[in-house]
Amino acid sequence: MLTASLAWLICLWLAAPDARAEDGHELWLRYHALPQPWVERYRAVARELVMARSPADTAQAELARGLAGLLGAAPTISDRITQDGAILIGTPQSSASIATLNLGLEGLGSEGFVIRSLTISGHRATVIAANTSAGVIFGVFHFLRLLQTLQAVESLALVSVPQLRYRVLDHWDNLDGTVERGYAGASIWDWHKLPGYLAPRYLEYARACASIGINGTVVNNVNADPLILTPAYLEKLAALAGVLRPYGIKVYIAARFAAPIELGALKTADPLDPAVRTWWQHKVEEIYRWIPDFGGFLVKANSEGQPGPQDYGRSHADGANLFAEALAPHGGVVMWRAFVYSNDPREDRIKQAFNEFAPLDGRFRDNVLLQVKNGPLDFQPREPVHPLFGAMPRTPLMLEVEITKEYLGFATHLAYLGPLYEEALNFDTYAMGAGSTVRKVIDGSLQSHTQTGIAGVSNVGADRNWTGSDFDQANWYVFGRLAWDPSLSAREIAEQWVRMTFSNDAAFVGPVVAMMMGSREAVVDYMTPLGLAHLMASGHHYGPGAWQGGGTRADWTPPYFHRADADGIGFDRGTGGSNAVAQYAPPLAALFNDPERTPEKYLLWFHHLRWDRRMASGATLWDELVLHYTRGWQSVQQMRHTWAGLQRFVDAERYSQIAAFLAIQDKEARWWRDATLAYFQSISGLPFPPGTPPPQHTLDEYKTMSFPYAPGNPGWTAAPFADESH
Amino acid sequence: MLTASLAWLICLWLAAPDARAEDGHELWLRYHALPQPWVERYRAVARELVMARSPADTAQAELARGLAGLLGAAPTISDRITQDGAILIGTPQSSASIATLNLGLEGLGSEGFVIRSLTISGHRATVIAANTSAGVIFGVFHFLRLLQTLQAVESLALVSVPQLRYRVLDHWDNLDGTVERGYAGASIWDWHKLPGYLAPRYLEYARACASIGINGTVVNNVNADPLILTPAYLEKLAALAGVLRPYGIKVYIAARFAAPIELGALKTADPLDPAVRTWWQHKVEEIYRWIPDFGGFLVKANSEGQPGPQDYGRSHADGANLFAEALAPHGGVVMWRAFVYSNDPREDRIKQAFNEFAPLDGRFRDNVLLQVKNGPLDFQPREPVHPLFGAMPRTPLMLEVEITKEYLGFATHLAYLGPLYEEALNFDTYAMGAGSTVRKVIDGSLQSHTQTGIAGVSNVGADRNWTGSDFDQANWYVFGRLAWDPSLSAREIAEQWVRMTFSNDAAFVGPVVAMMMGSREAVVDYMTPLGLAHLMASGHHYGPGAWQGGGTRADWTPPYFHRADADGIGFDRGTGGSNAVAQYAPPLAALFNDPERTPEKYLLWFHHLRWDRRMASGATLWDELVLHYTRGWQSVQQMRHTWAGLQRFVDAERYSQIAAFLAIQDKEARWWRDATLAYFQSISGLPFPPGTPPPQHTLDEYKTMSFPYAPGNPGWTAAPFADESH
């Protein structure tokens, strides 16, 4: 009896506020004391922190904070090197010592850094140097990461330069505090209290972004509200920019094309109309008065109901150039989204963006980047890469990926997106022969561009753990790390993240990294295997809905994409079908046109095939489909099992939340499998292969389920607007 | 240089995650170590915690947790008293020792408790005992509060019994996660992840509520969505109830009157229709299968567009009795709201609830409580008390107050509501002669009721500090404390709260309590002095809008209420006007009918008076009005000054948030004053008295301001509905 009471007491005691709260809020910047042998070792290289001249140097403060946490005590502060184990940080401007050292800073640009172990004035020292304070911050976080992951730091000769220039988070946050496709609570931006109140989380957000090299944030939804452009909001945004600036992060605005009408009382938003051009020119000047280092605009135009240049018979290039012209004198850029498709039943939806944009190659101004989603549909668990990559040699293309898991199970499904990003980056477009990977397209090396970038649709919200689940933090992390260097490995990044976020214990790191690396494929298997796509429920996208046809637009419904019928399943995009294959470079077009050569992971994306077709495994397509769905669900069960065995490595709060989420994922993976297969079985009429469990419920039961309040679906902003005079 | 750098470092160092986070999340349950002399003293009475038989006793765990924090170490755990300084807690059922002591538990009911200093078996001991585990929990939190506020605990002989039976928080939380009139972020209920995931904050919420004696929570908005009544949501609610139950808290549902139509596919929701009665009976049985201790329903009917019995020609009593009949066999209650008014231009809006309900006295079933707002309008900064109090002797009346500051400045204005609640509770209705206070009406003593209660519209949200600001926590706190004992003093409760939340230092407690005690009057002064009301902007209620007329309903506009014209200002509710005074008991009716006798704080509520009327001060009404508005704003400036002098007592994060909010309040108090007076001046045509600053802007400038995304205004739920079969 007493023992049970005591157990309960201890349990509550551990949860007491005095104990260190492990609620995920610290992210990977979890500077808890390292194991003692490592503390000893690292203290020898971190005895003394040499302060530069700048009194409020953010990088120095971050380094001191990190070292104090990891090593249990802050290093001595000095104004010069007085002993072995000094750390000297700064720029040639902030530090006379750094200015005199030959560190090769010339080639590092404005964000690169070096970390060098040197002997200076007879003392062993570590130098973290860059040309700008932002570069120094990136270097400091890199150095701290070496300590967090227990790397040797005695003989460092690191040079790191970001491979992409614009590394941006796109927040689909509405001004009312909701987040479209957000699964981590409300927006982190408390617009109502800005500019008067700067919530501490703004600074924490800046630290987290800078620690992984993100250097820009688009603060509002691409389905944009023009009010963000009014003085009241610019004042708020300027206050926010003031918090982000010391961390090297610029703010951007998602601009609404019709703003000159809605705010400016013009009769038109025609991009070639002189009054419209003047309006934007003045608006941009006004923005730069508030925010001198404003980054620029992201624009979604003529897409899903948004206004755009085509409303006036103009092209997307005309539209983008309107903004580019206004921004150019100030150094700002336009990120123009290529995510467009019309309600045209004659043309395959996934072909339309290519049709629209490829002919415009060369017609964009220098400060326009075309922002293209990784796949031609819409952030599905798996898609082949968008055919625009490589196909617009005269236009800088940015890659847009989704970090928030709109189509991969929201916050509760464990799905590490590193492999998805890596798959996209390493996809060979053959645009200029073999080796023309997406990575080389977006880093500018393939087609000689200097404007380069990547955007990730943020998964950050006001939830205490930032991203709705602990494992979703890894997706923010891997996005940032790959944005800095797209050649990094998703597995290595996962390992770093696990070490920083949970534990360096190999008995924990190994199984967790393995679990993460397999997790996205599990989602593909239980949601959309073998090249299937867009099988989710309409609107909120929560759960399966493969049967949901009807409505005003066929191309918003699952049957449009899976095309299952009594004979078979899949979308014929070969030369005999929609001929989407022809949008790829010839070697790929030939590959994808041939069902025998098409990789099975893309098979039903490109081909409509008979249920009884033989697959590589020897099974029929139908059986293979059932086996994939079953395997996906079983993978989740395996993840639950793995996690249950790791309890001793993790604090109670994070352990139990993750365990609860895996249980939800288990239940929902089975739901996805059972409901989707019940539907396809109603079409194929075929039995489940032996040993595979039948669906738990009837198809009709699945069809009756409804979830009107599934999160992330606040509806596109209805764009109210107000007079500018307040 | 170095010094400034160091200062910055220290600043960041203090903010480091290792340092104890003072972000307000701990509320008043902030069990940090007490000053050392007090630790010594209290340890002598808390050497040994005697465990009762129940292995998972929540009260014992709370006590151990509290003592461990406050005294720096947990007491010894024992299964019997072995030394001086024992603490023995439990019920006669859980503890044989308590069963044998003569503690007078008989008269304590199910929630009362005793705390006694006794000598047992030769040892000095403190006994915390009650008839139920809930009572013990209330006692434990009371005991811990004595320690937190540095009270003597050596010779205790406390008996405490709640004076009201239902002490309920009403959450106006929508199922989509928004909160109507919520200013602390999204809803704390994560419906989407329930029942699979029980967020830690549910337990924390339960602890906070129990610590102040709250014993019920209505989880959803009174503008109710019927989906809460479907099995999918009942399963979620049952999971939530499981977290709250150990803390003595029951869950309630705001029920939608039309649910039998919307969910049950009936043709009618007529309360006298047998099929409707059967539907609710079955629904209630279903709810009790999920939640055996379900509390009951809160219903808003025929009010602001909600469906109700009048849709079928039935009375509010018919409607309430429909639910009461279904709930009675299970012990549940109906809290039926009296907040009704129709769009009837012939009748003063504030008279309508009385007109509607007073004649129904005696027609409600035994398990119905009529829930009446403190004033007859709608939670204004000041209103005279609702005339229904005392006027329905055969009906139990619950008091409904607003904790969330819909009309008192949202989250950023410091306004302690204790004095507002106290003013309402101590208001003498004269219903049964002098001394017929609202307190005696609602505690049942005046008119012999045993069903008694109070409801507070919650200010709790997902913000880290729960209520949007630190000082708003005090409003949650004072509501709970007054709900337990309405005779407590708002000032004493404020002092307790300050001590528990910030510091016991007298140099801090004194000025802060003074600031709090004056803060509500400051809001009255800068928003609605001298009995004015409803001068806020429409819809979101953010900021001033005294000029906003028009629209479909005059009684939703400020001019309806202030009635300012060239001659004067105020609403004539005397016998020559709307005669609202006649709804009060004769002595009050006579008082309020006479402008010479009406207290000036209610003056313009009851009378339309000339701008040049002489006030008690000798000033004209116009001058007095300007002076009140000015004084309100100046009070905020004084609060800023006071707070600035208290920085040394408060952690940096809370200090600076409060300072920022006070700066916002200063700005907005001036805006309220200037805009409202600019408007009234445009009507009165009179000059400002000497020495009072003119408005900063023109009236037209104030009129053009718009705030479409002011928080708390998600719109009443449009009540989608779904088939019950999922």
Side-chain angles (χ1 to χ4, degrees):
Chain A
M1 296 278 210
L2 203 57
T3 316
S5 291
L6 280 171
W8 174 253
L9 277 179
I10 288 159
C11 183
L12 261 202
W13 168 246
L14 288 173
D18 317 73
R20 187 193 299 267
E22 284 281 15
D23 53 16
H25 189 71
E26 296 178 271
L27 296 165
W28 51 85
L29 300 176
R30 194 170 149 275
Y31 298 136
H32 298 198
L34 295 171
Q36 198 54 34
W38 289 93
V39 169
E40 308 285 339
R41 179 171 167 182
Y42 288 148
R43 276 190 181 159
V45 297
R47 289 206 179 92
E48 175 174 276
L49 182 51
V50 182
M51 304 299 294
R53 284 189 295 253
S54 170
D57 189 292
T58 305
Q60 290 177 140
E62 285 291 346
L63 181 56
R65 175 179 174 161
L67 292 174
L70 296 169
L71 307 185
T76 307
I77 306 292
S78 169
D79 57 357
R80 60 196 171 79
I81 296 176
T82 69
Q83 57 182 318
D84 280 356
I87 303 181
L88 174 62
I89 77 174
T91 66
Q93 289 70 45
S94 74
S95 162
S97 310
I98 285 173
T100 59
L101 293 167
N102 180 13
L103 296 166
L105 297 178
E106 304 74 25
L108 299 186
S110 64
E111 297 188 305
F113 59 85
V114 297
I115 307 181
R116 297 273 298 275
S117 304
L118 296 172
T119 299
I120 304 176
S121 312
H123 295 298
R124 281 186 284 112
T126 306
V127 178
I128 304 175
N131 290 314
T132 66
S133 60
V136 181
I137 287 172
F138 297 139
V140 160
F141 279 116
H142 189 105
F143 179 74
L144 289 170
R145 181 162 55 234
L146 297 176
L147 272 55
Q148 288 177 277
T149 56
L150 306 182
Q151 307 300 303
V153 296
E154 288 82 0
S155 307
L156 296 173
L158 286 169
V159 180
S160 187
V161 178
Q163 299 303 297
L164 301 173
R165 183 165 170 184
Y166 302 102
R167 305 177 302 278
V168 177
L169 284 186
D170 289 0
H171 289 264
W172 288 357
D173 294 24
N174 298 315
L175 300 187
D176 66 2
T178 59
V179 182
E180 184 165 330
R181 311 311 175 189
Y183 311 103
S187 172
I188 55 168
W189 317 125
D190 188 349
W191 291 111
H192 182 71
K193 297 199 192 81
L194 281 167
Y197 175 61
L198 296 168
R201 64 184 179 217
Y202 304 152
L203 179 66
E204 296 166 348
Y205 168 84
R207 299 180 62 233
C209 285
S211 76
I212 51 177
I214 290 168
N215 67 359
T217 179
V218 186
V219 297
N220 62 317
N221 193 349
V222 287
N223 295 311
D225 187 314
L227 280 191
I228 189 80
L229 296 163
T230 59
Y233 279 89
L234 293 177
E235 184 181 7
K236 295 168 188 282
L237 186 59
L240 202 52
V243 180
L244 305 182
R245 186 172 295 116
Y247 286 88
I249 299 165
K250 289 184 179 181
V251 297
Y252 296 75
I253 286 175
R256 184 164 159 92
F257 199 84
I261 300 171
E262 295 164 349
L263 297 179
L266 299 192
K267 298 280 187 235
T268 179
D270 182 348
L272 303 190
D273 185 286
V276 172
R277 292 167 63 187
T278 301
W279 190 89
W280 281 111
Q281 182 195 323
H282 290 166
K283 179 54 68 182
V284 166
E285 286 166 0
E286 181 189 359
I287 295 172
Y288 277 93
R289 280 196 297 275
W290 283 106
I291 308 163
D293 58 350
F294 177 66
F297 292 131
L298 169 64
V299 187
K300 174 177 180 177
N302 290 123
S303 169
E304 301 181 324
Q306 293 297 311
Q310 295 179 333
D311 302 348
Y312 308 94
R314 314 299 185 188
S315 74
H316 281 282
D318 294 329
N321 292 342
L322 165 72
F323 295 95
E325 177 187 47
L327 289 162
H330 309 278
V333 297
V334 181
M335 299 174 293
W336 191 266
R337 290 180 95 227
F339 179 64
V340 304
Y341 58 97
S342 59
N343 189 4
D344 181 356
R346 294 162 306 175
E347 181 61 291
D348 186 355
R349 167 171 157 182
I350 68 156
K351 290 178 65 183
Q352 298 181 30
F354 184 99
N355 294 347
E356 190 76 45
F357 279 93
L360 297 176
D361 190 30
R363 295 212 13 225
F364 294 93
R365 293 180 65 115
D366 288 347
N367 57 334
V368 176
L369 295 100
L370 192 63
Q371 185 167 310
V372 183
K373 291 188 181 183
N374 60 289
L377 178 47
D378 190 14
F379 296 138
Q380 293 300 295
R382 170 169 284 131
E383 299 183 34
V385 142
H386 202 298
L388 277 174
F389 288 104
M392 296 183 69
R394 298 165 65 197
T395 308
L397 260 56
M398 277 178 82
L399 174 62
E400 177 180 320
V401 296
E402 203 172 40
I403 308 172
T404 188
K405 301 209 311 299
E406 175 181 0
Y407 298 106
L408 288 100
F410 295 8
T412 50
H413 292 213
L414 198 167
Y416 172 57
L417 301 180
L420 189 160
Y421 303 155
E422 195 173 47
E423 186 174 294
L425 290 165
N426 293 337
F427 189 98
D428 194 341
T429 69
Y430 288 89
M432 299 180 71
S436 302
T437 59
V438 169
R439 172 159 67 85
K440 291 184 185 170
V441 174
I442 66 164
D443 74 11
S445 62
L446 189 73
Q447 293 158 333
S448 301
H449 293 293
T450 53
Q451 296 279 47
T452 61
I454 188 168
V457 180
S458 165
N459 64 348
V460 166
D463 271 3
R464 183 67 181 161
N465 66 13
W466 295 93
T467 56
S469 84
D470 289 292
F471 275 97
D472 281 330
Q473 296 176 357
N475 295 327
W476 185 7
Y477 184 82
V478 69
F479 168 77
R481 300 285 289 133
L482 286 174
W484 183 275
D485 183 355
S487 70
L488 292 174
S489 125
R491 177 179 294 274
E492 282 171 30
I493 295 172
E495 182 177 328
Q496 276 177 356
W497 177 82
V498 171
R499 288 171 172 273
M500 296 163 78
T501 305
F502 288 107
S503 166
N504 276 298
D505 194 312
F508 178 82
V509 174
V512 174
V513 170
M515 187 167 87
M516 290 170 70
M517 289 303 292
S519 61
R520 178 260 189 153
E521 200 63 36
V523 177
V524 171
D525 274 337
Y526 65 71
M527 286 187 181
T528 55
L530 296 172
L532 290 171
H534 204 293
L535 301 184
M536 71 290 166
S538 295
H540 51 60
H541 303 167
Y542 173 62
W547 51 84
Q548 294 182 359
T552 54
R553 293 190 61 159
D555 64 342
W556 283 352
T557 70
Y560 176 93
F561 293 97
H562 64 65
R563 311 225 159 178
D565 57 27
D567 294 330
I569 185 171
F571 196 129
D572 182 0
R573 293 187 165 116
T575 47
S578 80
N579 202 24
V581 296
Q583 293 183 336
Y584 290 94
L588 278 186
L591 182 77
F592 291 152
N593 193 46
D594 181 355
E596 299 307 317
R597 291 175 60 216
T598 303
E600 285 192 351
K601 63 184 176 183
Y602 301 136
L603 193 61
L604 302 177
W605 182 277
F606 287 113
H607 302 286
H608 186 82
L609 298 171
R610 292 179 54 85
W611 294 111
D612 60 1
R613 179 179 189 277
R614 284 290 150 194
M615 303 290 286
S617 67
T620 65
L621 172 55
W622 166 253
D623 283 0
E624 186 82 8
L625 198 65
V626 178
L627 291 168
H628 270 273
Y629 273 104
T630 306
R631 188 175 73 187
W633 169 40
Q634 288 170 342
S635 298
V636 178
Q637 295 182 305
Q638 183 55 47
M639 289 200 290
R640 282 185 79 176
H641 179 75
T642 300
W643 187 249
L646 298 171
Q647 183 162 8
R648 69 187 185 281
F649 297 103
V650 193
D651 52 280
E653 183 166 340
R654 290 191 297 172
Y655 174 81
S656 56
Q657 188 192 63
I658 291 165
F661 284 8
L662 285 168
I664 291 171
Q665 185 177 10
D666 183 358
K667 187 176 160 193
E668 294 186 351
R670 169 139 215 200
W671 170 36
W672 263 96
R673 170 197 181 271
D674 288 1
T676 310
L677 289 176
Y679 167 69
F680 286 142
Q681 188 176 42
S682 76
I683 296 174
S684 74
L686 295 169
F688 274 33
T692 54
Q696 281 189 304
H697 302 288
T698 67
L699 177 57
D700 282 342
E701 287 170 327
Y702 291 116
K703 285 183 177 180
T704 58
M705 293 180 179
S706 80
F707 305 90
Y709 300 120
N713 193 33
W716 294 336
T717 303
F721 51 88
D723 194 293
E724 271 196 289
S725 56
H726 76 268
Chain B
M1 295 275 211
L2 204 55
T3 316
S5 292
L6 280 171
W8 173 254
L9 278 179
I10 289 160
C11 182
L12 261 202
W13 168 245
L14 287 174
D18 315 74
R20 188 193 300 267
E22 285 280 16
D23 53 17
H25 189 70
E26 297 178 90
L27 295 164
W28 50 86
L29 300 175
R30 194 169 150 277
Y31 297 137
H32 299 197
L34 296 171
Q36 198 55 35
W38 289 93
V39 168
E40 308 286 338
R41 177 171 169 183
Y42 289 148
R43 276 189 182 159
V45 296
R47 290 205 179 92
E48 174 174 273
L49 181 51
V50 182
M51 304 300 294
R53 283 190 296 255
S54 170
D57 190 291
T58 305
Q60 291 178 138
E62 285 292 346
L63 182 56
R65 176 180 174 159
L67 292 175
L70 295 169
L71 308 186
T76 307
I77 306 293
S78 169
D79 57 359
R80 60 195 169 80
I81 296 176
T82 69
Q83 58 182 315
D84 281 355
I87 303 181
L88 174 64
I89 78 173
T91 67
Q93 289 70 45
S94 76
S95 162
S97 310
I98 285 174
T100 59
L101 294 169
N102 180 14
L103 297 166
L105 298 178
E106 305 74 27
L108 299 186
S110 62
E111 298 188 305
F113 59 84
V114 297
I115 306 181
R116 298 273 298 276
S117 304
L118 296 172
T119 300
I120 305 176
S121 314
H123 295 298
R124 279 186 285 113
T126 306
V127 178
I128 305 174
N131 291 314
T132 66
S133 60
V136 181
I137 288 172
F138 297 139
V140 160
F141 280 116
H142 189 106
F143 179 75
L144 288 169
R145 181 163 53 236
L146 297 177
L147 272 56
Q148 288 177 278
T149 55
L150 306 182
Q151 307 301 303
V153 295
E154 287 82 359
S155 308
L156 297 172
L158 286 169
V159 180
S160 188
V161 178
Q163 299 303 298
L164 300 173
R165 182 165 170 185
Y166 303 101
R167 305 177 302 278
V168 178
L169 284 185
D170 289 0
H171 288 264
W172 288 358
D173 294 24
N174 298 315
L175 301 186
D176 67 0
T178 59
V179 182
E180 184 166 331
R181 311 311 175 189
Y183 311 102
S187 172
I188 55 167
W189 317 125
D190 188 349
W191 292 111
H192 182 71
K193 298 199 191 81
L194 281 167
Y197 175 61
L198 296 168
R201 65 183 177 218
Y202 303 154
L203 179 66
E204 296 166 347
Y205 169 83
R207 298 180 63 234
C209 284
S211 75
I212 50 177
I214 289 168
N215 68 359
T217 178
V218 186
V219 297
N220 62 314
N221 193 347
V222 287
N223 295 310
D225 187 316
L227 280 190
I228 189 80
L229 295 164
T230 59
Y233 279 89
L234 293 178
E235 183 181 6
K236 296 168 189 283
L237 186 59
L240 202 54
V243 180
L244 306 183
R245 187 171 295 116
Y247 285 87
I249 299 165
K250 290 184 178 180
V251 297
Y252 296 74
I253 287 175
R256 185 166 157 90
F257 199 84
I261 300 171
E262 295 163 348
L263 298 179
L266 299 192
K267 299 278 187 235
T268 179
D270 182 348
L272 301 191
D273 184 287
V276 172
R277 292 167 62 187
T278 302
W279 191 90
W280 279 111
Q281 182 195 324
H282 290 164
K283 179 54 70 184
V284 166
E285 286 166 0
E286 181 188 0
I287 295 172
Y288 278 92
R289 281 195 297 276
W290 283 107
I291 307 163
D293 58 350
F294 177 65
F297 292 131
L298 170 65
V299 187
K300 174 178 180 177
N302 291 123
S303 168
E304 299 182 325
Q306 294 297 312
Q310 296 179 333
D311 301 349
Y312 308 95
R314 313 300 185 188
S315 74
H316 280 281
D318 295 328
N321 291 341
L322 165 72
F323 295 95
E325 176 187 47
L327 288 162
H330 309 278
V333 297
V334 181
M335 298 172 293
W336 190 267
R337 290 179 97 229
F339 179 65
V340 305
Y341 58 97
S342 59
N343 188 6
D344 180 356
R346 294 161 305 173
E347 181 59 292
D348 186 355
R349 168 171 156 183
I350 68 155
K351 290 179 64 183
Q352 298 182 29
F354 184 98
N355 294 346
E356 190 75 46
F357 279 94
L360 297 176
D361 190 30
R363 294 206 23 218
F364 294 93
R365 293 181 64 115
D366 287 347
N367 57 334
V368 176
L369 295 100
L370 193 63
Q371 186 167 311
V372 182
K373 291 188 181 183
N374 58 289
L377 178 46
D378 190 11
F379 296 138
Q380 293 301 295
R382 170 168 284 130
E383 300 183 32
V385 142
H386 202 299
L388 277 174
F389 287 104
M392 296 183 69
R394 297 166 65 196
T395 308
L397 260 55
M398 278 178 80
L399 174 63
E400 177 179 319
V401 296
E402 203 172 38
I403 308 172
T404 188
K405 301 209 311 299
E406 174 181 0
Y407 298 105
L408 286 100
F410 295 8
T412 49
H413 292 213
L414 198 167
Y416 172 58
L417 301 181
L420 190 160
Y421 303 155
E422 195 172 48
E423 184 173 295
L425 289 165
N426 294 337
F427 188 97
D428 194 341
T429 69
Y430 288 87
M432 299 181 69
S436 302
T437 59
V438 169
R439 172 158 68 84
K440 292 186 185 168
V441 174
I442 67 164
D443 73 12
S445 62
L446 189 73
Q447 293 157 333
S448 302
H449 293 292
T450 54
Q451 296 280 45
T452 60
I454 188 168
V457 180
S458 165
N459 65 347
V460 166
D463 272 4
R464 182 67 181 161
N465 66 13
W466 296 94
T467 55
S469 83
D470 288 292
F471 274 98
D472 282 331
Q473 297 176 357
N475 294 327
W476 184 7
Y477 184 82
V478 71
F479 168 77
R481 298 286 289 132
L482 287 174
W484 183 275
D485 184 354
S487 69
L488 293 174
S489 123
R491 177 180 294 275
E492 282 171 30
I493 295 172
E495 181 177 329
Q496 276 177 356
W497 176 82
V498 171
R499 289 172 171 274
M500 297 163 79
T501 305
F502 288 107
S503 166
N504 275 298
D505 194 313
F508 179 83
V509 174
V512 174
V513 169
M515 187 166 88
M516 290 171 71
M517 289 303 293
S519 60
R520 178 261 190 155
E521 200 64 35
V523 176
V524 171
D525 274 336
Y526 65 71
M527 288 187 181
T528 55
L530 296 173
L532 290 170
H534 203 292
L535 300 183
M536 71 291 165
S538 294
H540 50 60
H541 303 167
Y542 174 63
W547 51 85
Q548 295 181 0
T552 54
R553 294 190 59 159
D555 63 343
W556 283 350
T557 69
Y560 176 92
F561 294 97
H562 63 67
R563 311 224 160 179
D565 58 29
D567 293 330
I569 185 170
F571 196 129
D572 182 0
R573 293 186 164 116
T575 47
S578 79
N579 201 23
V581 295
Q583 294 183 334
Y584 290 93
L588 279 185
L591 182 77
F592 292 152
N593 193 47
D594 180 356
E596 298 308 317
R597 292 176 58 216
T598 302
E600 285 192 351
K601 62 185 176 182
Y602 302 136
L603 193 61
L604 301 178
W605 182 276
F606 288 113
H607 301 287
H608 186 83
L609 298 171
R610 292 179 54 86
W611 294 113
D612 60 1
R613 179 179 188 276
R614 283 291 150 193
M615 303 292 286
S617 67
T620 65
L621 172 55
W622 166 253
D623 284 359
E624 186 84 8
L625 198 65
V626 177
L627 291 168
H628 270 273
Y629 273 104
T630 306
R631 188 174 73 187
W633 168 42
Q634 288 170 341
S635 297
V636 178
Q637 295 182 306
Q638 183 55 47
M639 290 201 291
R640 283 184 79 177
H641 180 75
T642 300
W643 188 249
L646 298 170
Q647 183 162 9
R648 71 186 185 281
F649 297 104
V650 192
D651 51 281
E653 184 166 339
R654 289 191 297 173
Y655 173 80
S656 56
Q657 189 193 63
I658 291 164
F661 284 9
L662 284 168
I664 291 172
Q665 185 176 9
D666 183 358
K667 187 174 159 192
E668 294 186 352
R670 169 137 215 201
W671 169 36
W672 262 97
R673 171 198 181 273
D674 287 1
T676 310
L677 289 177
Y679 167 68
F680 286 141
Q681 189 176 39
S682 77
I683 296 174
S684 75
L686 295 168
F688 275 33
T692 53
Q696 282 190 304
H697 302 287
T698 68
L699 177 57
D700 281 343
E701 287 170 327
Y702 292 116
K703 285 184 176 178
T704 58
M705 294 181 179
S706 81
F707 305 90
Y709 299 121
N713 193 32
W716 294 337
T717 302
F721 51 89
D723 192 295
E724 271 197 289
S725 56
H726 75 267

